[in-house]
Amino acid sequence: MLDKKKIEDQLNDNFSALIFTYKNVGIKYLHNYYLNECEIKKIHELVKGGFFVLQTCNRVEIYIHSENAKHVAESLLEHIYSIHNGKLERHESIIKNGLETIKHLFYVASGVDSIAVGEYEILNQIKNAMLESKKMGIMDKEIERLIERALRVGRNARSRTNISKGKVGIYSLTLDKIKSVINDLEKASVLVIGAGEIGSKMSELLYKEGIKKRYHNE
């Protein structure tokens, strides 16, 4: 028979996450928290276990599976502060431990924690981040299993509830806002600042709406 308390104790000891999002940091300053591949590999050297990094336009989250994960997360946080030369505000970070770590990832995958609640993009972002983390060799089986379950939870949330009913994506909501301001899109010219996922996707959607004059600024 499974000992629920023992399982919870193991989860509390072995899983943690560092959370930086639009909620606690703000969109304006979130770019300060992004980590490049070299920084991620360097940070992983401090973790004796599994490691997963999810970076989107709305969040930077580091999931850890290790012995005494809470202590590891606190050490990583100090290291992140050091590599950013004191530019980050310490009160902005959130550390989640144990079951709270798992719940948070499930909320993220379900779209509950998104700016546009129920949006679909986050599922692909989690999947792509998992593939990148695997490519870098920073994951272990426990982290991989957690992510796979989170993706399953995210898909089930959308198929069994109305959370994704209607227009909930950032792209579709942005397009609706643009159309409410500009009456005749076909006569408009658009400057897209940034050539990342959001800029490229919005450029594609605007083209389909009839806007042919587009200017990308990288």
Side-chain angles (χ1 to χ4, degrees), residues 14-32:
N14 297 335
F15 284 97
S16 285
L18 297 179
I19 310 295
F20 308 99
T21 75
Y22 69 96
K23 291 182 177 180
N24 62 316
V25 174
I27 295 294
K28 183 177 180 180
Y29 301 105
L30 189 59
H31 68 276
N32 292 323

Side-chain angles (χ1 to χ4, degrees), residues 6-218:
K6 184 177 180 180
I7 293 174
E8 289 183 357
D9 288 342
Q10 288 177 340
L11 290 175
N12 287 330
D13 288 340
N14 297 335
F15 284 97
S16 285
L18 297 179
I19 310 295
F20 308 99
T21 75
Y22 69 96
K23 291 182 177 180
N24 62 316
V25 174
I27 295 294
K28 183 177 180 180
Y29 301 105
L30 189 59
H31 68 276
N32 292 323
Y33 295 79
Y34 289 114
L35 300 166
N36 60 43
E37 185 173 336
C38 290
E39 289 173 331
I40 291 173
K41 289 182 177 179
K42 185 65 176 179
I43 291 174
H44 180 245
E45 293 176 4
L46 303 175
V47 180
K48 296 180 179 179
F51 192 65
F52 168 64
V53 180
L54 175 63
Q55 300 188 114
T56 74
C57 56
N58 297 324
R59 66 188 67 251
V60 176
E61 301 185 351
I62 301 171
Y63 292 86
I64 302 160
H65 174 254
S66 177
E67 291 185 7
N68 199 3
K70 180 179 179 180
H71 175 72
V72 173
E74 291 170 349
S75 298
L76 283 184
L77 186 57
E78 291 300 319
H79 181 71
I80 291 173
Y81 289 140
S82 69
I83 65 178
H84 284 280
N85 300 316
K87 294 180 180 178
L88 308 183
E89 294 293 333
R90 292 174 181 264
H91 69 273
E92 292 173 343
S93 62
I94 293 179
I95 296 180
K96 292 187 178 291
N97 299 301
L99 285 174
E100 291 304 311
T101 301
I102 297 170
K103 288 179 181 178
H104 178 76
L105 182 56
F106 287 1
Y107 286 149
V108 171
S110 299
V112 176
D113 198 60
S114 298
I115 291 180
V117 175
E119 52 99 1
Y120 272 98
E121 288 84 3
I122 190 62
L123 285 175
N124 278 332
Q125 290 168 337
I126 292 174
K127 184 178 179 180
N128 290 335
M130 178 179 70
L131 295 175
E132 285 298 316
S133 294
K134 289 177 71 173
K135 187 187 301 182
M136 286 187 279
I138 63 177
M139 295 178 62
D140 67 3
K141 291 182 179 179
E142 294 300 323
I143 284 287
E144 185 174 355
R145 186 177 296 117
L146 173 61
I147 300 167
E148 288 174 347
R149 288 179 179 176
L151 290 171
R152 192 178 304 128
V153 167
R155 288 190 290 267
N156 285 340
R158 289 165 176 81
S159 65
R160 298 183 182 183
T161 73
N162 290 325
I163 192 171
S164 295
K165 186 177 181 179
K167 294 183 177 180
V168 295
I170 292 294
Y171 307 118
S172 58
L173 292 174
T174 302
L175 184 59
D176 280 352
K177 180 63 177 179
I178 292 172
K179 291 167 73 174
S180 72
V181 175
I182 302 174
N183 293 325
D184 192 349
L185 286 180
E186 293 187 3
K187 295 181 180 180
S189 297
V190 176
L191 170 64
V192 181
I193 300 176
E197 179 183 351
I198 291 180
S200 299
K201 181 66 174 180
M202 281 307 307
S203 181
E204 180 184 345
L205 289 177
L206 290 169
Y207 182 81
K208 291 179 179 178
E209 289 291 328
I211 296 178
K212 307 304 180 184
K213 295 181 180 180
R214 297 169 297 163
Y215 307 93
H216 264 89
N217 183 353
E218 300 184 16

